Amino acid sequence: MSCSVKFNRISTKAMSESIESKRVFGLPIDLRGKRAFIAGVADDNGYGWAIAKSLAAAGAEILVGTWVPALNIFETSLRRGKFDESRVLPDGSLMEITKIYPLDAVFDNPEDVPEDVKMNKRYAGSSNWTVQEVAESVKQDFGSIDILVHSLANGPEVSKPLLDTSRKGYLAAVSASSYSYVSLLKHFLPIMNPGGSSISLTYIASERIIPGYGGGMSSAKAALESDTRVLAFEAGRKHKIRVNTISAGPLRSRAAKAIGFIDTMIEYSLANAPLQKELSADEVGNTAAFLASPLASAITGALIYVDNGLNAMGIGLDSPILKDLDIPKDKH
């Protein structure tokens, strides 16, 4: 009898140690079995790429939509291994992109595409790249998705002050940077699984004056943020999909360099943000992974700042009027 009891105690201890060794500590973001479509990935140094990496690191399957004129060089660079260093995930494996779709989110369907675009050599060889066609292709290839990311914007007159912006330039900025998200969500919602998540990227110029960020882009971002709240209600009620947007700080991405003063904005952030460090694209990517996960199941219609706290400042600390104040500063 005593031998039996002793054996049971040893057996129980061994089982508890085995369970303990398999236990996962912390609060992991687990997106295994989920599929994400990220619109607006054309290189390896923007927020779209970083979001794709974070979602992949959490276990999600990755599909991307790439602007048609950039598709060939993106696919070639990926195939030749030029992005391999950037593809490395925390566990040492490489991010895999299951499929790349040509996409131009300015056009909802083939009927919207003007003849000069159809004949443009940069679009030669690509087909089914309007929003409607891409959604249909994803449905045909995979059936459904769980996560939709809008990481694209364009303002052809972004370097012009608002007063010098043409109607055409203003509407082009809103079309490419704001309505494109409405269109993407409209066409992808029918194939999104209930409980899914949709995320976009915005910028603080939507609510604060950023001289040099013109051409209607500040208006487009303001529209995007307003649409986020309305879409959260409509998509939540109709399809149980959450809709949020991330207001990201300045990053030296290829798209940001087109504005012309991104280095100045980064230096300004370093000097004035509560957290004196350069923002990493991974920090935005990880925030997106959280918002896409069950950990954020009650968050929708939200604007999340990921900018080292710069949005909270009411005055620049590098202003001469503050020179006599004893303000803690890091050397950078």
Side-chain angles (χ1 to χ4, degrees):
M1 193 72 171
S2 61
C3 290
S4 177
V5 171
K6 184 178 180 180
F7 176 79
N8 286 338
R9 286 175 179 170
I10 293 173
S11 177
T12 302
K13 181 179 179 182
M15 288 177 64
S16 65
E17 287 178 347
S18 176
I19 293 172
E20 189 76 14
S21 66
K22 294 180 180 178
R23 184 176 297 168
V24 177
F25 292 94
L27 197 61
I29 294 176
D30 188 356
L31 296 175
R32 287 174 296 180
K34 305 297 183 182
R35 183 178 297 114
F37 181 88
I38 301 102
V41 179
D43 55 39
D44 66 339
N45 69 350
Y47 285 134
W49 177 272
I51 291 173
K53 276 187 68 177
S54 292
L55 295 177
E61 181 180 12
I62 304 300
L63 314 175
V64 303
T66 300
W67 188 46
V68 184
L71 180 65
N72 184 54
I73 189 170
F74 177 65
E75 288 185 320
T76 300
S77 297
L78 193 63
R79 186 171 57 253
R80 292 179 178 175
K82 292 185 177 181
F83 299 151
D84 282 359
E85 186 176 347
S86 300
R87 290 171 60 202
V88 178
L89 300 176
D91 65 358
S93 65
L94 297 182
M95 174 180 67
E96 296 293 340
I97 299 176
T98 302
K99 188 163 184 178
I100 302 171
Y101 292 86
L103 171 68
D104 192 328
V106 168
F107 304 107
D108 296 333
N109 51 61
E111 291 72 31
D112 291 342
V113 183
E115 198 62 31
D116 63 320
V117 174
K118 291 179 182 178
M119 302 303 294
N120 191 309
K121 64 180 181 179
R122 297 196 298 172
Y123 287 76
S126 295
S127 60
N128 301 322
W129 42 258
T130 64
V131 177
Q132 176 187 319
E133 291 172 303
V134 173
E136 291 172 348
S137 296
V138 171
K139 180 181 180 180
Q140 181 177 355
D141 293 340
F142 300 97
S144 65
I145 64 170
D146 303 277
I147 302 162
L148 177 66
V149 178
H150 176 275
S151 176
L152 51 88
N154 183 50
E157 298 181 18
V158 66
S159 61
K160 293 184 179 180
L162 188 56
L163 284 174
D164 294 336
T165 300
S166 68
R167 182 183 295 272
K168 182 180 179 181
Y170 183 99
L171 295 178
V174 173
S175 174
S177 311
S178 179
Y179 186 78
S180 58
Y181 184 43
V182 177
S183 180
L184 275 170
L185 198 52
K186 172 184 177 181
H187 289 92
F188 274 87
L189 265 179
I191 66 169
M192 291 188 73
N193 295 317
S197 173
S198 182
I199 302 163
S200 65
L201 292 171
T202 185
Y203 183 49
I204 197 172
S206 63
E207 54 185 298
R208 299 285 189 271
I209 300 168
I210 306 293
Y213 191 77
M217 282 302 301
S218 58
S219 308
K221 292 301 184 182
L224 181 67
E225 292 176 16
S226 177
D227 291 344
T228 295
R229 293 184 285 272
V230 177
L231 292 171
F233 171 75
E234 295 183 359
R237 288 299 182 99
K238 292 181 179 179
H239 297 276
K240 295 182 172 61
I241 300 298
R242 295 180 293 108
V243 181
N244 295 292
T245 189
I246 297 173
S247 184
L251 176 75
R252 287 188 180 90
S253 66
R254 184 188 63 169
K257 289 177 182 177
I259 300 173
F261 62 98
I262 188 62
D263 290 335
T264 302
M265 292 304 300
I266 291 174
E267 285 299 316
Y268 178 85
S269 180
L270 282 168
N272 296 287
L275 300 178
Q276 288 188 271
K277 63 181 182 65
E278 189 164 334
L279 183 68
S280 163
D282 290 341
E283 291 172 306
V284 172
N286 293 340
T287 301
F290 162 72
L291 288 173
S293 77
L295 297 178
S297 59
I299 301 176
T300 193
L303 166 62
I304 308 296
Y305 295 100
V306 184
D307 62 356
N308 289 324
L310 186 62
N311 71 91
M313 300 303 297
I315 189 172
L317 298 181
D318 55 0
S319 172
I321 66 172
L322 302 179
K323 62 182 176 63
D324 296 327
L325 294 183
D326 184 18
I327 300 174
K329 296 181 180 179
D330 287 340
K331 294 181 180 179
H332 57 271

